[in-house]
Amino acid sequence: MESAIESSAQKGVIGSRVGRLTDGYEKVTGVARYGADIEHANCLAGMVLRSEHPHARLRSIDTRRAEALPGVKAVITAADAPQVLHGFTVHDQTIIARERVRYVGEPVAAVAAVDKATASEALRLIRVEYEPLPAVFTPHDALRSDAPLLHPNFAAYESKVPLNRYGNVCCHAKITNGEVARGFDRSAVIIENTFKTPHVHFGYIEPHAVSAAVDGRGFLTVWTSTQAPFVARAALSHTLKLPMHQVRVIGTAIGGGFGGKVELLDEPLAALLAIKARRAVRIEMSMLEDFHVAQARHASEITLKAGISSDGMLQAFEGTVIMDTGAYAGFGPHTTSQAMVLLGSPYRVPHLRFEGFAVLTNKLNCGALRAPGGPQAALACESTIDMLAEKIGMDPFEVRLKNAKRSGDTTPTGCELRAVALEQTLRAAAERFDWRRAVQRPSNGKLRGKGMACGIWGGSGYGAGATVRVNEDGTATVFTGAVETGAGSTIVATQIVAEELGLGVEDVHVVCGDTESTPFDMGAIGSRTTVSTGQALRQAAVDAKRKILQEAAEQLETRLDDLELRGRQVLVKGVPSRAVPLREITTTLTMKHGGPVMGLGACVMELPGFDAATYESHTLPSKPWFTFGTQMVEVEVDPASGDVEIIRFVAAHDVGRAINPVGIEGQIHGAVTLALGQAFSEQLVFQQGRLMNPNFLDYRMPTALETPHIETIIIEAADEESAYGVKGVGEPPVPPVIPAIANAIYNATGARILELPLSPERVWLALQKVAR
Amino acid sequence: MIAFDYHAPESLQEAVRLLDQFAGTARVVAGGTDLMVTCRLRGLGPQHVISLRRVENLDVVRRDEATGRVRIGAFATLRQIERSPLLRERCAGLVEAAHKVGSIPVRNLATIGGNLCNASPSAETAPPLLAAAATVTLTGPGGQRAIPLEQFFLGPGKTALQPNEVLTEVSLLADGAGAASMYERQCIRRFKDIALVGVGARLALDGAGRCQAVGLALGAVAPTPLPVPAAADLLLGQQLSDARIAEVAAAARAAAKPITDIRASAEYRSAMVEVLTIRVLRALREALRN
Amino acid sequence: MSQGTSLRPARRLARLTVNRETQEVLVAPSESLLETLRDGLRLTGTKRGCDTGDCGACTVLVDGAPVVSCLALSLNLEGRSITTVEGLAQNGRLTPLQQAFIDSGAVQCGFCTPGMLMSATALLAEERSPSEAAIRDAIAGNLCRCTGYIKIVEAIQAAAHQGAPNASLVS
């Protein structure tokens, strides 16, 4: 189904529908090489021994029997690793447990052996003596004054951002705008609710897999299915104390990342084993292991008090955000900070005060799952809007429209919003969905209802470089550090370069994700690739184009301004007869200089200004770009069982400029479906710090049978700061999904559910309460 | 990692002899789906696996003309069962249950015998089989014995199968001539999932629309799949009125002994026994009317 | 059930037909078809996802029927004909289904793609023009986290409309 594109932007290569041009053939034939598919001569099988305890002191580790087992080539423990701390914001963890384990699954030792069976046997022969320590499993327990501490002195760790930290709190953030007391005084209706969401797994189908090899000089190469090879290289260099020129990271094909393949997991262990064994080592996690040690979406508890005047204007928000971040700070300070910003960003709220706590518990570390903090904040914010609307007797669409942020407004931290299209997405969704139409009441005893939610998302910036080499024959080869996660970044790269150089998409080849042969790029995180890498690619292509046109201007004895590149030719404007094939110019240029025609590009999206007086201990006061969307859903609820079926789903999202609509639709479909899983069935269930459902039988992701049609509407409100006006789309469709469904269930049944997942049992229980 | 040895005897007798010889350390494997999952997730496995792939005719599906019952070789795959024209016509409840196990690539391996021998309380095929008065044939050193399916299940993962016996055939009452069967279940994920509660039922009506024979059984609400004859018997000789159906559903609920686990609470499971029983009986009434 | 033995029963030669080629492969008695394909034959197009039959990434065809190779014992498949994703395209020519996956954008990360293709190939071999419900049922055992399945369903429909045979499944 093709999307409606609401813009009259001119169409060239940019904006045309392109299928899986770059990576499709290899992926449909089984040729593409993922993390576990990389071949090495004499490769050893690596395996990791992981903690069975949620919190314990490591009294001793005896590896002698494992080392003596025939076929075992290396065994490592913390004693083999440099004494270095690392972490996303706070340097609070080691690559392998040293003295203490803080969650079930934390690496304790690793082995490399001739085959998996031998490695597995070796793990069984390692004797670890644990001294169990008191543990904390919920933020509430962790926040008690007498709670056992996960880290005896957390505040002493190095942090990249000044954070207010104490006890088991790794970040206590605050945001204040205006005076909430005054806002509540002006409110006709004030409500307060607490919303809870569980831990959620990334759900990629490829478990983590890495291999490592060292050469005779000890130079290290690591092949890993990472979203961010340069982040991995920096982290490996830091944790292994190796200079960067001795570390090469090659990003393999990735079987899904969604934020779960950014930070180091087994990469440094594979490297240490390879260094010790002097042979290539491959570590393939089982899905069982992956569930235990890969990061998760933060579980949250958000309390939001909100006031609205009788004419439908929001007056005040006051809220507390608690994120359960697991054993190490990880992405916790960011997720907490982000959720606080998102809570107060879609709508104009003159007075607000938020406090946020990222809290350490003896569970797996939490990371940046596609839109970290987004669904948690949106559930609270968008449910609250609907509840307020009902209390003052106004349509929730009208309340949203009245309070929607516009261009020039700011986020709660004072960051200015450009090219805001929230209103456009609201109107476009309402028109397609026919929001005013009354929902049909089915005759089968089921209940139907409609719901809506909006969302804001701020993307990441960071650095991106790109190189474009125009070959002698006029074709182009592009080098970028941004890996192809499947989101289609290489297709977009092809389109951008083809557009600028007047080529067809089939004339461009993209080389990506190798720290040795491609320029720096921060990686496929924060919906940034099309925006940041796209900008760098455009610059690089324009740079190459300038060199080509300069040469052509000399040859043709014309002014540079009179030349253009189109259809693999250099054209003189207005004089078609003087066209020269591009290959003639590029051949001449290459021969003349003895080197390739290279264009260089680089980009760091500038961070808009923000107001430091509005916040404390907050890691994300500013983001380089924001975008908005609106989703509307119709559901049918079976009151007897609590089953919820989606009848219709409309998603309108502003992408600034649609470079490849096929890819954008795919991103919206995927993001919505990922959130549908969290809405209805996905949660990691822990008992005393132990994961009870580490498999895809009891961790239920949507299948083709549960997934609805998703009607996409692409809005193009160009951002003048980015190349072609683009905004990212990977994460933005995630946050509104869950509240839209919760609002629709309420509309259908009168049951307001504040906790996820909206499983049949939870819906049924809520309906029992309504009935009473 | 689990390592076991593999044997593929040429005959059933040879298989039974090997089972006898390995005295409790061997396991018969059909599709192997449950075996492999147990090895992976729980690190448990037998020392010997005995495959009957060389033995023919263990997956035959046929109607016994003498008794009118349907007989299914224990090594028939669930995919074979859901696609068998005979079973689609004569054992609708079982076909529905087979269709709900795993996915097509799993059902192409998994067999009905394996589903029963795994003895999961939530085994999908068990409730419709129990409702259709199924018996199972066990083959051991002394020959064959047939027992009612309800005596086969002893507890979660426990069956009446002796270490030297093989489950070789399942037989059940057929639909048709005023009889119909059905299976319904409740899950967390709407389609591909395991049952939180399953309800299998088979009804035979006389010419006046009164219930002549009734079978009703529940899944996932007791340590074993659970026939509920006391509830079923409330229908004997009765018309299928809404009120009577509600009474039966309440009795089924009373007979269920569900537990609370990570998948669902006992309270929800109890309530769903009633909801699904009503749904199944009403649907059967509808089916038999046409 | 006993704890798995640490004795390792000897590997033995099994005769398997993979992608129309019959070969003798050394196989451990407890080895899954997935392990034999990936580790033994280095046919890494078949993916290891969950290894418990729940994700479908390892789906291959056995005598034309889709099967999760992670739960199939290799020795149980002696004499059977196995088709993996590597066996779909012949002489570099993609099947209409493979081409439709590329054209429709049904591939994103691509990790579910091999299994998805095998399930859909089996469906199209039996039904020339399957309904959307039949398509969704056929791929319900193949988890995809990227696409929401929408473009995958569209690609299978597109391939079905072409009417051409999608692969010879059995040698």
Side-chain angles (χ1 to χ4, degrees), chain A residues 620-636:
Chain A
L620 293 165
S622 182
K623 288 240 167 168
W625 55 268
F626 287 86
T627 187
F628 293 81
T630 299
Q631 296 174 357
M632 295 185 179
V633 59
E634 183 174 338
V635 299
E636 182 173 288

Side-chain angles (χ1 to χ4, degrees), chain A residues 745-762:
Chain A
I745 291 174
Y746 176 79
N747 183 253
T749 65
R752 172 58 67 183
I753 307 176
L754 307 175
E755 186 172 355
L756 299 182
L758 304 166
S759 61
E761 177 168 1
R762 181 162 281 127

Side-chain angles (χ1 to χ4, degrees), chain A residues 3 21 37 45 93 137 151 158 192 258 314 408 456-457 471 505 510 573 598 636 652 668 734:
Chain A
S3 314
L21 174 78
D37 303 335
Q93 65 186 112
F137 303 118
H151 302 259
E158 185 189 335
E192 181 173 346
F258 316 111
L314 295 170
I456 177 174
W457 187 252
N471 304 308
V505 285
V510 181
K573 289 174 193 163
M598 298 288 284
E636 182 173 288
I668 296 174
V734 172

Side-chain angles (χ1 to χ4, degrees), chain A residues 442-449 634-647 680 744-745 748-749 751 753 758-768, chain B residues 184-187 190 268 271-272 274-276 278-280 282:
Chain A
S443 55
N444 57 3
K446 295 187 181 174
L447 306 168
R448 282 201 182 185
E634 183 174 338
V635 299
E636 182 173 288
V637 182
D638 182 345
S641 64
D643 278 321
V644 179
E645 184 182 355
I646 290 182
I647 303 299
F680 290 122
I745 291 174
T749 65
I753 307 176
L758 304 166
S759 61
E761 177 168 1
R762 181 162 281 127
V763 172
W764 176 82
L765 273 172
L767 284 168
Q768 304 303 301
Chain B
E184 277 268 8
R185 62 173 192 176
Q186 180 63 32
C187 303
R190 285 179 54 236
Y268 183 65
M272 288 312 108
E274 199 166 344
V275 166
L276 294 179
I278 291 172
R279 198 184 287 168
V280 164
R282 285 186 179 176

Side-chain angles (χ1 to χ4, degrees), chain C residues 66-122:
Chain C
V67 153
V68 280
S69 62
C70 69
L71 299 186
L73 275 174
S74 291
L75 290 178
N76 255 359
L77 299 174
E78 274 208 88
R80 313 282 290 273
S81 173
I82 295 149
T83 309
T84 70
V85 69
E86 289 94 339
L88 289 179
Q90 287 182 44
N91 304 321
R93 278 196 50 204
L94 299 182
T95 65
L97 183 70
Q98 288 174 306
Q99 191 61 49
F101 265 59
I102 295 176
D103 296 342
S104 308
V107 177
Q108 283 191 33
C109 85
F111 202 75
C112 76
T113 303
M116 203 64 91
L117 286 169
M118 302 325 282
S119 288
T121 297

Side-chain angles (χ1 to χ4, degrees), chain A residues 381-423:
Chain A
C381 177
E382 296 294 317
S383 300
T384 296
I385 297 291
D386 263 44
M387 286 187 258
L388 289 171
E390 189 189 26
K391 293 252 184 202
I392 59 165
M394 201 177 267
D395 189 304
F397 174 78
E398 296 300 332
V399 172
R400 286 182 171 83
L401 205 57
K402 266 191 160 194
N403 292 280
K405 287 261 170 83
R406 265 84 179 172
S407 297
D409 286 342
T410 58
T411 70
T413 47
C415 174
E416 196 185 314
L417 298 165
R418 303 182 306 268
V420 174
L422 175 54
E423 182 179 343

Side-chain angles (χ1 to χ4, degrees), chain B residues 20 123 134 136 243 264:
Chain B
D20 212 32
V136 287

Side-chain angles (χ1 to χ4, degrees), chain A residues 47-53 58 61 76-78 86 93-110 128 130 264-269 283 285 289 292-294 328:
Chain A
M47 279 193 182
V48 181
L49 185 69
R50 302 182 188 277
S51 169
E52 293 156 21
H53 295 268
L58 282 176
I61 306 179
I76 58 163
T77 66
H86 73 109
Q93 65 186 112
T94 52
I95 55 175
I96 186 165
R98 195 175 280 279
E99 291 162 16
R100 210 190 255 229
V101 288
R102 295 183 174 88
Y103 67 95
V104 173
E106 185 158 11
V108 168
V128 183
Y130 294 98
L264 292 184
L265 283 170
D266 287 344
E267 287 91 343
L269 306 182
I283 304 181
M285 276 192 202
E289 279 181 289
H292 278 93
V293 306
Y328 299 94

